[in-house]
Amino acid sequence: MQLQFDNRFVAALPADPETTNQRRQVHRAGYSWVTPTPVANPSLVAVADEVADLLGLSVEDCQSPEFLAVFSGNKVPAGAQPFAMAYGGHQFGNWAGQLGDGRAINLGEVIGRDGQAWAIQLKGAGATPYSRTADGLAVLRSSIREFLCSEAMYHLGVPTTRALSLIQTGEQVMRDMMYDGNAEFEPGAVVCRVSPSFVRFGNFQLFAARDEVDELRMLTNFVIQQHFPHLLDDFDTESPELVAAFFDAVCQRTVHMVVEWMRVGFVHGVMNTDNMSILGLTIDYGPYGWLDSYDPDWTPNTTDAQHRRYRYGQQANVALWNCYQLANALYPLVNDSKPLEASLEAFQASYQAQWHAMMASKLGLLEFKPEDADLIAALESLLTHTETDMTLFYRCLSQPELTVSTFKPAFYADELSADYHSAMTAWLKRYQARLAQDGRSQTARAAAMNAVNPKFVFRNYLAQQAIELAEAGDFSRIHTLLDVLRKPYDAQPDQSQFAARRPDWAKTKAGCSMLSCSS
Ligand code: AMP
Ligand code: MG
């Protein structure tokens, strides 16, 4: 097994001179050197073959003892220079100071088959100087959720970090899953995550908060050179205009990411600024969830139950708030608030436009017209009027015959009110009149709709079932789901059980409708 390392992040930024693995505040450094903690008895649970292939690893490589040793953290591969990043962040709206990779250890960047550099990191590989009071470990339950969801998101076409492997450590980890005083031992696991970069808004914020402007500049230069090189064609190196253009690009990527979350019904759950990727990728799959019934106020995160800051319908506003924090962090390199404010204003306009275009595509319209805003608003109100499964609703909407009973598979209630029935009938009539304006054939409309409205998403109860089976030693469901979720837009009729709406038992069950940050 050969991994071609080219460690760019550590080459571009200063290292913490202290090399012991003790919890501490780290100043004027982008990262600390730290090696993964070896584990007792690793066993391979799953590999995403496409990600392995990206990194130049064959199917045989992935089954080798070497692979198991490297991706469990038991062996540092040749060329790797393991480290944990320093970053800070706003958690639930409050500045939390230094956070950092408390349980993720980066091995470095690997040059993939495509010539691109891929950062690889092991999540749950032991304590680092940033572990604060926690243990640096991860449990099987949350690792299955991260592994499967990041791959599901990729195949849905949503910008995301990827996952290469899921490995059980053979060790037990103590967790209080619902933070209610009932701590238990759970099986430990390590996920290898793969991304062009793991830099977050919080990396910039930590330098800015400490007035470490030289380091802030080094980080900014590095990220621009590696990930936004096209900006260097138009702006001078280190110019305020370059940094402002970079900020604008980050805002635009963030807009795109959130619009995509809205399209598929994904709720991130912990949009703290340390969980915001500078590349606009979905990162840190913790207490995320998927809308079953359409409800803009829903959040899966019980830690956020009181204010529901990170509820589905609030994600764009929170993303914008997070971009404000990034603007503050970059300000010392721009020294002028005007261009930064212009990008924040553009965020809102561009979100609105992209959201409208996305909704028009979900409805199978050729394009969004201003008068469609009302049609969309009326639909949203109907979807919350009676409990309606979002994913199933949009799949049903591509049918040729549209009556209220077309949507039967999507309704959670057995009976519909007369009110609802007539409102829905009226809406469908209006919708069909709008479709007639486009004059698209039914086949073309259905094909276009089924390419943006997935049949299969990683529903909360599917995750829970896979976890319960895995904890009983049966990993087959993980493999089945990984496979089904590779083609989320295909009908896959023999897999339809995984497209079913939430069963009643899952409505109030921990792990399905309620998740804490405990992972
Ligand atoms: P999160 O909300 O999961 O993004 O985590 C917030 C911060 O807590 C990050 O700095 C994580 O590295 C850290 N953290 C979360 N869980 C653990 C853990 N089990 N051990 C050490 N650090 C952790
Ligand atoms: Mg995080």
Side-chain angles (χ1 to χ4, degrees):
M1 183 177 86
Q2 193 92 44
L3 291 164
Q4 196 194 331
F5 280 94
D6 179 355
N7 301 323
R8 301 171 179 194
F9 183 83
V10 294
L13 284 152
D16 173 8
E18 173 75 55
T19 53
T20 61
N21 190 359
Q22 259 144 20
R23 274 82 159 165
R24 59 179 173 269
Q25 291 291 309
V26 174
H27 293 273
R28 295 212 169 273
Y31 56 91
S32 304
W33 300 115
V34 60
T35 44
T37 303
V39 300
N41 187 19
S43 57
L44 185 63
V45 175
V47 175
D49 294 337
E50 312 84 325
V51 182
D53 188 60
L54 272 181
L55 301 178
L57 299 176
S58 67
V59 174
E60 297 74 53
D61 286 334
C62 297
Q63 299 303 323
S64 67
E66 170 93 354
F67 183 93
L68 191 60
V70 166
F71 294 105
S72 63
N74 276 356
K75 179 181 174 189
V76 176
Q81 294 172 286
F83 67 95
M85 278 188 191
Y87 57 80
H90 279 87
Q91 296 186 310
F92 299 96
N94 304 306
W95 176 242
Q98 177 182 304
L99 297 167
D101 287 330
R103 58 159 161 188
I105 297 183
N106 302 272
L107 296 180
E109 290 97 328
V110 165
I111 304 302
R113 229 184 254 294
D114 56 358
Q116 200 196 317
W118 293 94
I120 58 179
Q121 68 172 213
L122 306 180
K123 184 168 177 178
T128 78
Y130 306 93
S131 296
R132 297 178 293 151
T133 57
D135 56 11
L137 304 175
V139 293
L140 182 62
R141 130 181 86 81
S142 62
S143 305
I144 292 172
R145 285 170 48 83
E146 171 132 24
F147 176 81
L148 283 177
C149 197
S150 45
E151 287 308 289
M153 292 283 267
Y154 171 77
H155 294 291
L156 283 164
V158 182
T160 180
T161 59
R162 305 287 303 270
L164 168 67
S165 56
L166 169 59
I167 291 176
Q168 259 197 302
T169 60
E171 295 180 357
Q172 298 285 305
V173 174
M174 178 74 89
R175 283 291 180 273
D176 181 356
M177 186 171 100
M178 294 318 290
Y179 295 136
D180 58 3
N182 292 311
E184 278 178 30
F185 277 113
E186 298 186 42
V190 174
V191 169
C192 175
R193 307 199 289 193
V194 176
S195 173
S197 170
F198 288 103
V199 172
R200 301 128 191 276
F201 288 14
N203 294 68
F204 296 84
Q205 287 185 283
L206 186 63
F207 287 142
R210 292 169 166 176
D211 213 13
E212 295 172 353
V213 179
D214 291 345
E215 291 75 13
L216 177 65
R217 185 172 290 289
M218 285 184 230
L219 175 65
T220 307
N221 286 347
F222 170 72
V223 171
I224 293 173
Q225 276 167 17
Q226 292 294 311
H227 306 290
F228 300 85
H230 59 280
L231 298 178
L232 293 163
D233 298 341
D234 296 329
F235 300 98
D236 293 339
T237 312
E238 302 208 353
S239 64
E241 293 75 19
L242 174 65
V243 179
F246 161 60
F247 176 67
D248 192 68
V250 176
C251 288
Q252 290 305 316
R253 287 197 189 201
T254 305
V255 165
H256 174 65
M257 173 185 77
V258 177
V259 170
E260 287 292 274
W261 291 355
M262 301 306 281
R263 175 172 66 85
V264 298
F266 176 78
V267 190
H268 182 283
V270 208
M271 293 175 72
N272 294 333
T273 55
D274 55 303
N275 291 338
M276 295 292 292
S277 142
I278 202 69
L279 301 185
L281 305 173
T282 315
I283 187 172
D284 274 18
Y285 291 88
Y288 67 82
W290 295 82
L291 290 186
D292 290 308
S293 51
Y294 181 81
D295 176 4
D297 288 335
W298 186 72
T299 174
N301 185 357
T302 51
T303 314
D304 188 27
Q306 197 187 353
H307 300 292
R308 291 197 274 193
R309 179 181 175 84
Y310 299 142
R311 60 191 185 270
Y312 174 76
Q314 184 69 6
Q315 297 190 108
N317 287 337
V318 169
L320 175 60
W321 190 89
N322 290 342
C323 286
Y324 265 94
Q325 308 317 315
L326 179 64
N328 285 333
L330 292 174
Y331 180 82
L333 306 181
V334 184
N335 283 311
D336 179 4
S337 58
K338 274 195 249 35
L340 300 172
E341 280 163 10
S343 297
L344 292 165
E345 259 169 53
F347 181 111
Q348 287 181 298
S350 132
Y351 181 80
Q352 179 85 343
Q354 288 187 42
W355 185 82
H356 276 145
M358 178 277 285
M359 287 302 292
S361 75
K362 283 183 84 68
L363 292 178
L365 305 177
L366 285 174
E367 60 172 355
F368 175 81
K369 295 182 180 173
E371 56 275 23
D372 297 331
D374 201 45
L375 184 74
I376 295 170
L379 174 62
E380 288 199 292
S381 144
L382 275 169
L383 289 177
T384 49
H385 186 292
T386 185
E387 231 188 322
T388 310
D389 191 272
M390 174 178 171
T391 304
L392 289 169
F393 178 88
Y394 284 104
R395 286 299 276 207
C396 294
L397 192 63
S398 69
Q399 301 282 311
E401 288 291 324
L402 292 172
T403 67
V404 177
S405 56
T406 309
F407 300 92
K408 196 159 189 305
F411 297 132
Y412 280 93
D414 294 333
E415 301 279 321
L416 300 169
S417 70
D419 254 14
Y420 176 83
H421 208 277
S422 60
M424 184 65 182
T425 306
W427 187 86
L428 286 172
K429 216 168 155 192
R430 200 171 150 193
Y431 172 58
Q432 281 165 309
R434 175 63 182 85
L435 288 178
Q437 285 176 20
D438 279 354
R440 188 144 67 155
S441 76
Q442 162 58 22
T443 342
R445 177 179 74 94
M449 290 175 78
N450 290 339
V452 294
N453 296 320
K455 174 169 175 180
F456 298 94
V457 295
F458 189 41
R459 291 173 182 272
N460 314 315
Y461 80 86
L462 294 177
Q464 186 59 22
Q465 289 174 325
I467 289 166
E468 285 174 15
L469 286 166
E471 286 176 346
D474 176 0
F475 302 132
S476 60
R477 183 63 62 80
I478 296 175
H479 303 135
T480 305
L481 287 175
L482 180 61
D483 208 40
V484 171
L485 294 168
R486 276 192 177 111
K487 298 187 211 92
Y489 301 99
D490 289 8
Q492 303 187 70
D494 48 343
Q495 305 292 355
S496 288
Q497 52 171 315
F498 300 118
R501 64 176 193 234
R502 178 199 62 221
D504 284 343
W505 60 262
K507 195 169 177 183
T508 51
K509 189 178 163 88
C512 295
S513 60
M514 293 181 293
L515 291 139
S516 75
C517 290
S518 166
S519 54

